[in-house]
């Protein structure tokens, strides 16, 4: 692949992580925008890019092949629309907005402008998650009966001004990390027939929730929180099970059935995600095979229903 050139909108912690990873490969950051121009200048200097005072200028730079949006959830819609209306492909951090209405607007704009748009859900660009899906499709563990996922990190220890803890930036556990188990099970089983959610709301955000999704005979149960550090996933079937010590950024998956034990080792990294997105863009695709529009829309619908059951409404809604 020839060097693929990105405009970065936002230069916070996730932007730093992705930039460090993708510049190991055939990717170059050529333009940067942040509301904090001084921060944008420092980021741009570090990666040999140019800093701009408006998002439009960063996006419309002629040599930009695609735009990566790494701002808080509440501004994803605004910046994505600017790029799409100018027919600049977009890789937008998850979630792409704060509700289904945002997702629908983005999908409609991408279709109208015949321009690639994809949610940056790195889990499903990885061969580890794709292998788990193949194991299940092949019947390696029989009929799936239950999936249990625990995912938490001590977000409550962050400064009160962190986007994760602020209602104004749609903070909380659900949109930040709950999206991972929801998307994981959606990509394995489709849209859930039943959604049950209960959570704890404090200072205008959800700090934890228990979610149950039913897919016919398959039941998926999630514990998500900002109060501790834990991550694991167990998928049980009638003929075996699959386990992932980490699931959203897995480096391995373990299959156990009557044939023995099979371990798949791989990587979940930003370089793979950005490279596969770039390859799709260069191939002329307008939506991703890894994260199609239906996945983005339906997972947002599930999160909307979880919030409805918790009576969680963001100030911007």
């Amino acid at each position: 692949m020839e060097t693929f050139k990105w405009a970065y909108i936002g230069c916070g912690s996730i932007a730093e992580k992705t930039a460090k990873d993708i510049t190991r490969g055939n990717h170059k950051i050529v333009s940067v925008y942040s509301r904090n121009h001084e921060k944008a200048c420092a980021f741009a200097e570090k990666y040999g890019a140019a800093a701009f005072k408006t998002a439009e200028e960063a996006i419309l730079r002629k040599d930009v092949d695609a735009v990566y949006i790494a701002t808080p959830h509440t501004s994803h819609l605004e910046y994505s629309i600017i790029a799409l209306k100018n027919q600049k492909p977009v890789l937008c951090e998850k979630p792409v907005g704060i509700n289904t209405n945002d997702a629908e607007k983005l999908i409609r704009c991408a279709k109208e402008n015949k321009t690639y748009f994809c949610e940056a859900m790195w889990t499903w660009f990885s061969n580890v998650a794709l292998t788990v899906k193949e194991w299940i499709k092949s019947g390696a563990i029989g009929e799936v009966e239950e999936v249990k996922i625990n995912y938490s990190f001590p977000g409550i220890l962050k400064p009160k001004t962190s986007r994760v803890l602020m209602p104004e930036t749609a903070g909380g556990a659900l949109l930040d990390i709950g999206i991972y188990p929801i998307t994981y099970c959606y990509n394995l089983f489709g849209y859930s027939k039943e959604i049950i959610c209960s959570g704890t709301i404090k200072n205008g955000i959800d700090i934890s929730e228990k979610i149950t999704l039913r897919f016919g005979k398959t039941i998926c149960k999630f514990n998500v929180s900002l109060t501790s550090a834990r991550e694991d996933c167990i998928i049980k079937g009638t003929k075996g099970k699959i386990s992932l010590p980490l699931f959203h950024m897995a480096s391995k998956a373990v299959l156990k059935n009557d044939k023995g034990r099979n371990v798949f080792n791989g990587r979940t990294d930003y370089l793979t995600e950005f490279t596969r997105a770039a390859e799709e863009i260069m191939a002329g695709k307008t939506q991703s095979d890894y994260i199609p529009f239906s996945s983005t829309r339906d997972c947002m619908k599930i999160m909307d229903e979880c919030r409805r059951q918790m009576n969680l409404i963001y100030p911007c809604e």
Side-chain angles (χ1 to χ4, degrees):
M1 184 179 81
E2 294 183 4
T3 301
F4 196 86
K5 301 179 178 66
W6 294 90
Y8 261 51
I9 307 300
C11 51
S13 61
I14 186 65
E16 282 283 359
K17 290 176 183 177
T18 58
K20 184 178 180 180
D21 207 5
I22 71 170
T23 50
R24 295 189 295 109
N26 293 329
H27 299 268
K28 181 174 175 58
I29 301 166
V30 295
S31 64
V32 178
Y33 167 76
S34 171
R35 288 177 298 175
N36 183 329
H37 188 61
E38 185 177 336
K39 192 173 181 180
C41 288
F43 187 95
E45 183 177 0
K46 183 175 181 179
Y47 292 101
F52 292 89
K53 291 188 176 181
T54 69
E56 289 89 344
E57 289 176 296
I59 290 167
L60 294 177
R61 178 169 159 151
K62 288 185 179 180
D63 59 348
V64 167
D65 295 314
V67 180
Y68 171 58
I69 296 173
T71 58
H73 318 321
T74 44
S75 57
H76 288 178
L77 176 66
E78 174 190 354
Y79 296 129
S80 294
I81 292 291
I82 292 171
L84 292 170
K85 284 186 174 180
N86 286 283
Q87 296 185 313
K88 291 287 189 178
V90 174
L91 182 63
C92 179
E93 267 306 328
K94 56 79 196 164
V96 298
I98 62 169
N99 52 38
T100 304
N101 188 46
D102 282 1
E104 292 284 10
K105 286 179 180 178
L106 288 166
I107 292 167
R108 184 165 59 249
C109 190
K111 289 180 176 179
E112 288 173 352
N113 291 280
K114 298 180 174 61
T115 301
Y116 182 92
F117 177 79
C118 179
E119 186 170 35
M121 178 61 69
W122 69 336
T123 307
W124 285 97
F125 283 90
S126 167
N127 287 337
V128 182
L130 295 172
T131 297
V132 170
K133 188 172 185 176
E134 284 302 312
W135 283 346
I136 289 173
K137 284 177 63 178
S138 70
I141 62 169
E143 187 174 0
V144 177
E145 296 176 318
E146 183 180 64
V147 178
K148 285 188 176 181
I149 298 177
N150 294 295
Y151 187 22
S152 61
F153 84 105
I156 57 170
L157 299 180
K158 286 180 171 289
K160 291 182 179 180
T161 54
S162 168
R163 64 162 186 84
V164 177
L165 299 179
M166 294 176 62
E168 294 78 12
T169 52
L174 182 66
L175 294 193
D176 202 60
I177 60 175
I179 188 173
Y180 283 108
I182 287 170
T183 301
Y184 207 90
C185 287
Y186 175 86
N187 281 359
L188 295 178
F189 311 115
Y191 196 83
S192 50
K193 298 180 182 298
E194 184 179 8
I195 303 163
I196 302 169
C197 177
S198 62
T200 300
I201 297 174
K202 186 176 181 180
N203 298 325
I205 64 164
D206 57 307
I207 60 171
S208 67
E209 50 256 330
K210 294 181 183 294
I211 302 170
T212 299
L213 304 181
R214 295 181 183 273
F215 304 85
K217 295 180 180 179
T218 302
I219 300 175
C220 299
K221 296 180 179 180
F222 315 142
N223 290 309
V224 180
S225 82
L226 299 178
T227 61
S228 60
R230 183 179 178 184
E231 182 175 348
D232 54 65
C233 173
I234 302 292
I235 304 171
K236 294 181 180 179
T238 55
K239 297 181 180 178
K241 72 175 183 178
I242 298 168
S243 59
L244 298 101
L246 302 175
F247 77 98
H248 94 286
M249 55 179 292
S251 58
K252 74 173 183 178
V254 181
L255 166 66
K256 291 182 180 179
N257 58 17
D258 56 5
K259 295 181 180 178
R261 185 174 184 268
N262 183 8
V263 179
F264 180 86
N265 293 298
R267 298 184 67 181
T268 301
D269 61 359
Y270 299 114
L271 178 57
T272 299
E273 175 189 18
F274 276 64
T275 298
R276 288 182 165 173
E279 289 170 349
E280 290 188 319
I281 291 166
M282 290 187 295
K285 292 181 181 292
T286 54
Q287 69 172 301
S288 176
D289 291 336
Y290 299 96
I291 304 291
F293 294 154
S294 56
S295 175
T296 295
R297 179 194 297 112
D298 287 348
C299 290
M300 191 66 81
K301 284 182 180 179
I302 293 170
M303 291 192 292
D304 279 359
E305 175 58 20
C306 288
R307 289 204 293 124
R308 187 193 69 79
Q309 293 183 24
M310 290 189 289
N311 194 30
L312 176 61
I313 300 171
Y314 302 121
C316 56
E317 292 183 294

